[in-house]
Amino acid sequence: MKNEAYLKDLEKCVRCGSCKAYCPTYDENETEAMGARGRLTLLRELMLHRLKPTPLLNDRIFSCILCGACAGLCPSNVDITEDIYKGRCILRQNDKKRRYLGNLAKFFVQRPDLAFRISQVLQYILFPYLSKKGFIPAGFNLPAAPFKDGQQVYKVSKPRGRVAIFTGCSINFLYPHLGMSLINILLKAGYEVVVPSGEVCCGMPLRTLGMEDEAREHAKKNVRIFGKLKVEAVLSLCPTCVLAIKNQYPKMIGKGISAAKDVSSFLLDKLDLHQLSLIAKRPATVTYHDPCHLIYGLGIKNQPRELLKTIGVNVIEKKQEGCCGFGGLFSLSYRDISNNLLQKQIKSHSETGAGTIVTACPGCMMQLSKASKDKPVFHIIELLEEAYCGSNEL
Ligand code: SF4
Ligand code: SF4
């Protein structure tokens, strides 16, 4: 977005305040500048040169969790989250505080295999400390190997279709077993599955830090790689990745991965639901946690619930919906807000009396697992695999 177009978008705001209704950061701190309306006002004043960047102004813009809860509420169609990304890109130039975080993020996303190997070596010293500080769940360990190992093609006889998996960093390096669960389901459903080599981080950690040029390079690489594949869908277990590659890339580089789909909607559409209901083994009572980028960003609310009900799982709705406080790097930078949001969600889950929490995002899974002492937290794909393939011991 060029500066003129940017200012024009900021000026579309009529200051009605509707965007504050579900804003988690405003909910935590009822200061105008902690909600979308206030943040957009600050950015407009910045663009009109009536405000200068200060640490406080930067803090207000970088404390947005980018959950997107405000996005669909604006009657003037202000592209709120895009405006915040753009504002961060402008402010980042002089933000010393985030330089360190930016360099760290760049190292991790640009050399992920090296970062993984270093983390593997250090985890026995580092992870107990990080867990004590509340950054990761207690007892969390890295897997023995990442999910991806060059190009992988999983074949079936007489395939009904061909799909690709966009792995994303969290599945690749933290939860590879979830990627295997998805592959097992797809193979059983008769799909040939390709996991291409060369995929890079979707770029969102860089974008949230205002590193727009670097994020664009990631977008271009991914579009090039997935654009070559002849597949009917590109599936990801991470809603942030789907939101990025499908909806944000066109705004960043003019082209996205249009075949990208969230797994719940794809599987609900393609799996034999009758067969699922017949072989469901373990009826359970769960609460489902809506990942922000899935519900607000991609508009997917009913499909995961329908899938769970179809496999015989009893879903109890919690009273208070909301962000778990993860927000990628947000949980590192704004620990108090992140932790308060997490505690609210854990309380809300506990009040239902359900024994298990299910979500559809590896980031939410990591965050909820930090505070959910007595209830296991699963990704929906794990329950689906158990029901559909009967192979995963939960
Ligand atoms: S994206 Fe989320 S945290 Fe940011 S202003 Fe909108 S509702 Fe608030
Ligand atoms: S809902 Fe839209 S128009 Fe209303 S204050 Fe928020 S950004 Fe401005």
Side-chain angles (χ1 to χ4, degrees), residues 19 22-26 34-36 39 63-71 80-81 84:
C19 49
Y22 304 119
C23 176
T25 56
Y26 183 72
M34 287 299 280
R39 291 184 171 115
S63 62
C64 164
I65 203 164
L66 290 163
C67 62
C70 50
I80 301 172
T81 46
I84 292 189

mmCIF file of all heavy atoms in Angstrom, residues 19 22-26 34-36 39 63-71 80-81 84, ligand 1:
data_model
loop_
_atom_site.group_PDB
_atom_site.id
_atom_site.type_symbol
_atom_site.label_atom_id
_atom_site.label_comp_id
_atom_site.label_asym_id
_atom_site.label_seq_id
_atom_site.Cartn_x
_atom_site.Cartn_y
_atom_site.Cartn_z
ATOM 1 N N CYS A 19 -15.376 -1.384 16.336
ATOM 2 C CA CYS A 19 -14.244 -2.319 16.298
ATOM 3 C C CYS A 19 -13.722 -2.687 17.685
ATOM 4 O O CYS A 19 -12.921 -3.607 17.824
ATOM 5 C CB CYS A 19 -13.116 -1.720 15.468
ATOM 6 S SG CYS A 19 -12.736 -0.018 15.925
ATOM 7 N N TYR A 22 -14.907 -6.624 20.514
ATOM 8 C CA TYR A 22 -14.261 -7.876 20.946
ATOM 9 C C TYR A 22 -12.742 -7.749 20.991
ATOM 10 O O TYR A 22 -12.023 -8.744 20.896
ATOM 11 C CB TYR A 22 -14.643 -9.030 20.002
ATOM 12 C CG TYR A 22 -16.127 -9.245 19.874
ATOM 13 C CD1 TYR A 22 -16.761 -9.110 18.648
ATOM 14 C CD2 TYR A 22 -16.895 -9.565 20.987
ATOM 15 C CE1 TYR A 22 -18.130 -9.291 18.535
ATOM 16 C CE2 TYR A 22 -18.259 -9.740 20.877
ATOM 17 C CZ TYR A 22 -18.869 -9.597 19.647
ATOM 18 O OH TYR A 22 -20.217 -9.768 19.538
ATOM 19 N N CYS A 23 -12.250 -6.541 21.087
ATOM 20 C CA CYS A 23 -10.786 -6.352 21.039
ATOM 21 C C CYS A 23 -10.155 -6.833 22.353
ATOM 22 O O CYS A 23 -10.417 -6.284 23.424
ATOM 23 C CB CYS A 23 -10.460 -4.882 20.812
ATOM 24 S SG CYS A 23 -8.685 -4.571 20.865
ATOM 25 N N PRO A 24 -9.327 -7.870 22.294
ATOM 26 C CA PRO A 24 -8.768 -8.401 23.541
ATOM 27 C C PRO A 24 -7.837 -7.437 24.258
ATOM 28 O O PRO A 24 -7.790 -7.425 25.486
ATOM 29 C CB PRO A 24 -8.020 -9.658 23.093
ATOM 30 C CG PRO A 24 -7.805 -9.515 21.639
ATOM 31 C CD PRO A 24 -8.890 -8.629 21.110
ATOM 32 N N THR A 25 -7.105 -6.626 23.505
ATOM 33 C CA THR A 25 -6.171 -5.718 24.189
ATOM 34 C C THR A 25 -6.926 -4.551 24.828
ATOM 35 O O THR A 25 -6.547 -4.083 25.908
ATOM 36 C CB THR A 25 -5.084 -5.189 23.220
ATOM 37 O OG1 THR A 25 -5.713 -4.556 22.099
ATOM 38 C CG2 THR A 25 -4.194 -6.298 22.728
ATOM 39 N N TYR A 26 -8.014 -4.126 24.196
ATOM 40 C CA TYR A 26 -8.839 -3.061 24.796
ATOM 41 C C TYR A 26 -9.551 -3.598 26.039
ATOM 42 O O TYR A 26 -9.705 -2.914 27.042
ATOM 43 C CB TYR A 26 -9.855 -2.542 23.771
ATOM 44 C CG TYR A 26 -10.684 -1.407 24.300
ATOM 45 C CD1 TYR A 26 -10.127 -0.141 24.479
ATOM 46 C CD2 TYR A 26 -12.015 -1.601 24.668
ATOM 47 C CE1 TYR A 26 -10.878 0.903 24.985
ATOM 48 C CE2 TYR A 26 -12.772 -0.563 25.179
ATOM 49 C CZ TYR A 26 -12.194 0.689 25.338
ATOM 50 O OH TYR A 26 -12.930 1.715 25.859
ATOM 51 N N MET A 34 -5.577 1.394 23.028
ATOM 52 C CA MET A 34 -5.378 -0.064 23.067
ATOM 53 C C MET A 34 -6.438 -0.789 22.243
ATOM 54 O O MET A 34 -6.533 -2.017 22.255
ATOM 55 C CB MET A 34 -5.393 -0.570 24.509
ATOM 56 C CG MET A 34 -4.144 -0.199 25.286
ATOM 57 S SD MET A 34 -2.624 -0.881 24.599
ATOM 58 C CE MET A 34 -2.678 -2.566 25.237
ATOM 59 N N GLY A 35 -7.267 -0.042 21.523
ATOM 60 C CA GLY A 35 -8.248 -0.652 20.618
ATOM 61 C C GLY A 35 -7.970 -0.197 19.195
ATOM 62 O O GLY A 35 -7.129 0.688 18.962
ATOM 63 N N ALA A 36 -8.717 -0.779 18.243
ATOM 64 C CA ALA A 36 -8.441 -0.473 16.828
ATOM 65 C C ALA A 36 -8.657 0.997 16.520
ATOM 66 O O ALA A 36 -7.827 1.625 15.845
ATOM 67 C CB ALA A 36 -9.344 -1.335 15.944
ATOM 68 N N ARG A 39 -5.781 3.065 17.735
ATOM 69 C CA ARG A 39 -4.541 2.775 16.996
ATOM 70 C C ARG A 39 -4.585 3.419 15.615
ATOM 71 O O ARG A 39 -3.584 3.994 15.150
ATOM 72 C CB ARG A 39 -4.347 1.251 16.883
ATOM 73 C CG ARG A 39 -4.026 0.608 18.217
ATOM 74 C CD ARG A 39 -3.748 -0.883 18.081
ATOM 75 N NE ARG A 39 -3.233 -1.413 19.337
ATOM 76 C CZ ARG A 39 -3.854 -2.314 20.097
ATOM 77 N NH1 ARG A 39 -5.030 -2.814 19.738
ATOM 78 N NH2 ARG A 39 -3.313 -2.728 21.219
ATOM 79 N N SER A 63 1.335 -3.455 20.249
ATOM 80 C CA SER A 63 0.619 -4.279 21.233
ATOM 81 C C SER A 63 -0.687 -4.844 20.680
ATOM 82 O O SER A 63 -1.391 -5.571 21.376
ATOM 83 C CB SER A 63 0.334 -3.476 22.508
ATOM 84 O OG SER A 63 -0.501 -2.379 22.198
ATOM 85 N N CYS A 64 -1.008 -4.521 19.438
ATOM 86 C CA CYS A 64 -2.177 -5.162 18.807
ATOM 87 C C CYS A 64 -1.813 -6.625 18.583
ATOM 88 O O CYS A 64 -0.740 -6.930 18.057
ATOM 89 C CB CYS A 64 -2.474 -4.474 17.476
ATOM 90 S SG CYS A 64 -3.565 -5.414 16.411
ATOM 91 N N ILE A 65 -2.707 -7.514 18.957
ATOM 92 C CA ILE A 65 -2.372 -8.946 18.834
ATOM 93 C C ILE A 65 -2.609 -9.471 17.414
ATOM 94 O O ILE A 65 -2.279 -10.595 17.101
ATOM 95 C CB ILE A 65 -3.169 -9.745 19.898
ATOM 96 C CG1 ILE A 65 -2.505 -11.073 20.223
ATOM 97 C CG2 ILE A 65 -4.589 -9.947 19.510
ATOM 98 C CD1 ILE A 65 -3.018 -11.704 21.508
ATOM 99 N N LEU A 66 -3.182 -8.605 16.572
ATOM 100 C CA LEU A 66 -3.492 -8.937 15.174
ATOM 101 C C LEU A 66 -4.417 -10.137 15.052
ATOM 102 O O LEU A 66 -4.285 -10.969 14.158
ATOM 103 C CB LEU A 66 -2.188 -9.137 14.369
ATOM 104 C CG LEU A 66 -1.409 -7.838 14.144
ATOM 105 C CD1 LEU A 66 0.028 -8.120 13.743
ATOM 106 C CD2 LEU A 66 -2.086 -6.961 13.102
ATOM 107 N N CYS A 67 -5.330 -10.213 16.019
ATOM 108 C CA CYS A 67 -6.276 -11.325 16.043
ATOM 109 C C CYS A 67 -7.333 -11.193 14.953
ATOM 110 O O CYS A 67 -7.895 -12.185 14.505
ATOM 111 C CB CYS A 67 -6.962 -11.398 17.404
ATOM 112 S SG CYS A 67 -7.934 -9.923 17.788
ATOM 113 N N GLY A 68 -7.629 -9.951 14.548
ATOM 114 C CA GLY A 68 -8.636 -9.737 13.506
ATOM 115 C C GLY A 68 -10.063 -9.692 14.024
ATOM 116 O O GLY A 68 -11.008 -9.654 13.232
ATOM 117 N N ALA A 69 -10.252 -9.671 15.343
ATOM 118 C CA ALA A 69 -11.620 -9.637 15.883
ATOM 119 C C ALA A 69 -12.350 -8.353 15.491
ATOM 120 O O ALA A 69 -13.570 -8.299 15.488
ATOM 121 C CB ALA A 69 -11.576 -9.767 17.410
ATOM 122 N N CYS A 70 -11.580 -7.329 15.164
ATOM 123 C CA CYS A 70 -12.182 -6.047 14.781
ATOM 124 C C CYS A 70 -12.549 -6.017 13.296
ATOM 125 O O CYS A 70 -13.390 -5.209 12.881
ATOM 126 C CB CYS A 70 -11.183 -4.920 15.060
ATOM 127 S SG CYS A 70 -9.527 -5.236 14.392
ATOM 128 N N ALA A 71 -11.906 -6.870 12.512
ATOM 129 C CA ALA A 71 -11.935 -6.724 11.057
ATOM 130 C C ALA A 71 -13.348 -6.718 10.463
ATOM 131 O O ALA A 71 -13.679 -5.847 9.661
ATOM 132 C CB ALA A 71 -11.100 -7.821 10.417
ATOM 133 N N ILE A 80 -8.395 -2.883 8.833
ATOM 134 C CA ILE A 80 -7.726 -2.542 10.087
ATOM 135 C C ILE A 80 -6.387 -3.261 10.258
ATOM 136 O O ILE A 80 -5.357 -2.635 10.533
ATOM 137 C CB ILE A 80 -8.642 -2.822 11.299
ATOM 138 C CG1 ILE A 80 -9.938 -2.006 11.177
ATOM 139 C CG2 ILE A 80 -7.923 -2.493 12.614
ATOM 140 C CD1 ILE A 80 -11.005 -2.337 12.216
ATOM 141 N N THR A 81 -6.385 -4.572 10.089
ATOM 142 C CA THR A 81 -5.130 -5.299 10.352
ATOM 143 C C THR A 81 -4.053 -4.929 9.322
ATOM 144 O O THR A 81 -2.883 -4.778 9.670
ATOM 145 C CB THR A 81 -5.332 -6.825 10.414
ATOM 146 O OG1 THR A 81 -6.128 -7.220 9.317
ATOM 147 C CG2 THR A 81 -6.008 -7.256 11.688
ATOM 148 N N ILE A 84 -2.519 -1.801 10.340
ATOM 149 C CA ILE A 84 -1.587 -1.960 11.469
ATOM 150 C C ILE A 84 -0.251 -2.547 10.987
ATOM 151 O O ILE A 84 0.812 -2.098 11.394
ATOM 152 C CB ILE A 84 -2.241 -2.771 12.607
ATOM 153 C CG1 ILE A 84 -3.356 -1.894 13.170
ATOM 154 C CG2 ILE A 84 -1.222 -3.179 13.683
ATOM 155 C CD1 ILE A 84 -4.028 -2.302 14.400
HETATM 156 S S1 SF4 B 1 -6.551 -7.014 15.615
HETATM 157 FE FE1 SF4 B 1 -7.339 -7.726 17.611
HETATM 158 S S2 SF4 B 1 -6.020 -6.734 19.144
HETATM 159 FE FE2 SF4 B 1 -5.684 -5.643 17.192
HETATM 160 S S3 SF4 B 1 -7.091 -3.912 17.271
HETATM 161 FE FE3 SF4 B 1 -8.165 -5.577 16.192
HETATM 162 S S4 SF4 B 1 -9.326 -6.657 17.821
HETATM 163 FE FE4 SF4 B 1 -7.774 -5.370 18.840
#
